[in-house]
Amino acid sequence: ETGVTQTPRHLVMGMTNKKSLKCEQHLGHNAMYWYKQSAKKPLELMFVYNFKEQTENNSVPSRFSPECPNSSHLFLHLHTLQPEDSALYLCASSHLAGGNNEQFFGPGTRLTVL
Amino acid sequence: RKEVEQDPGPFNVPEGATVAFNCTYSNSASQSFFWYRQDCRKEPKLLMSVYSSGNEDGRFTAQLNRASQYISLLIRDSKLSDSATYLCVVNFDRGSTLGRLYFGRGTQLTVWP
């Protein structure tokens, strides 16, 4: 399925590296999301963009910096991460922001911080 | 207190069994309710929405009890392909803030032959 794609699928980085995660949706949606999924924990919402505008930042540390240049693309820039940031990072999109809109998820980027 | 609580399981059942999952949510103002399914090392996908009157989709039946803030999912005639983690998901709006989804930790199901 190619509705929501994410690259890279796997990433290993050191604490001093800078990297970016990319998400692209081909569904014509207007809202995009970043989630973090750690082992044994629920999905945690990180950021919400609606029509390219950030509408929610769920108290995410500044070492995570999102960017949404248009409604189809979403980036997550990573800088000086910590080992506890290792997790699966999932991108999602929906027609509009708002919980009653079905969210479609990408396959995720599995991040390991050494 | 967690927004959404689920029994993490695991539930191990034979093919053909009926299995039920329960979920409770803390915010009485919650408005929309869903079950998502997540296969091992895959992304979550919407299984079904949950409506106040209860709803059925083939072998799957979802029920909502707003008074008790309780949601359930019943799977009849389990198949091997039903093996997955089932995520209970709840939404509520907060004033001018657009609604956001709250996910439970998920309940793991394994169906064996």
Side-chain angles (χ1 to χ4, degrees), chain B residues 39-72:
Chain B
D39 292 295
C40 185
R41 306 189 77 81
K42 299 275 193 168
E43 71 274 20
K45 293 183 181 178
L46 179 66
L47 176 66
M48 58 197 301
S49 300
V50 186
Y51 303 116
S52 296
S53 54
N55 49 298
E56 188 173 306
D57 183 2
R59 298 181 293 108
F60 299 83
T61 301
Q63 298 257 321
L64 168 64
N65 184 323
R66 284 187 183 270
S68 302
Q69 295 178 207
Y70 171 93
I71 306 161
S72 66

Side-chain angles (χ1 to χ4, degrees), chain B residues 6-54:
Chain B
Q6 290 182 255
D7 180 348
F11 285 65
N12 297 302
V13 303
E15 269 189 296
T18 295
V19 61
F21 305 138
N22 303 319
C23 166
T24 57
Y25 59 94
S26 61
N27 192 322
S28 60
S30 298
Q31 299 168 309
S32 306
F33 309 89
F34 311 90
W35 284 100
Y36 275 70
R37 170 192 169 133
Q38 187 170 20
D39 292 295
C40 185
R41 306 189 77 81
K42 299 275 193 168
E43 71 274 20
K45 293 183 181 178
L46 179 66
L47 176 66
M48 58 197 301
S49 300
V50 186
Y51 303 116
S52 296
S53 54

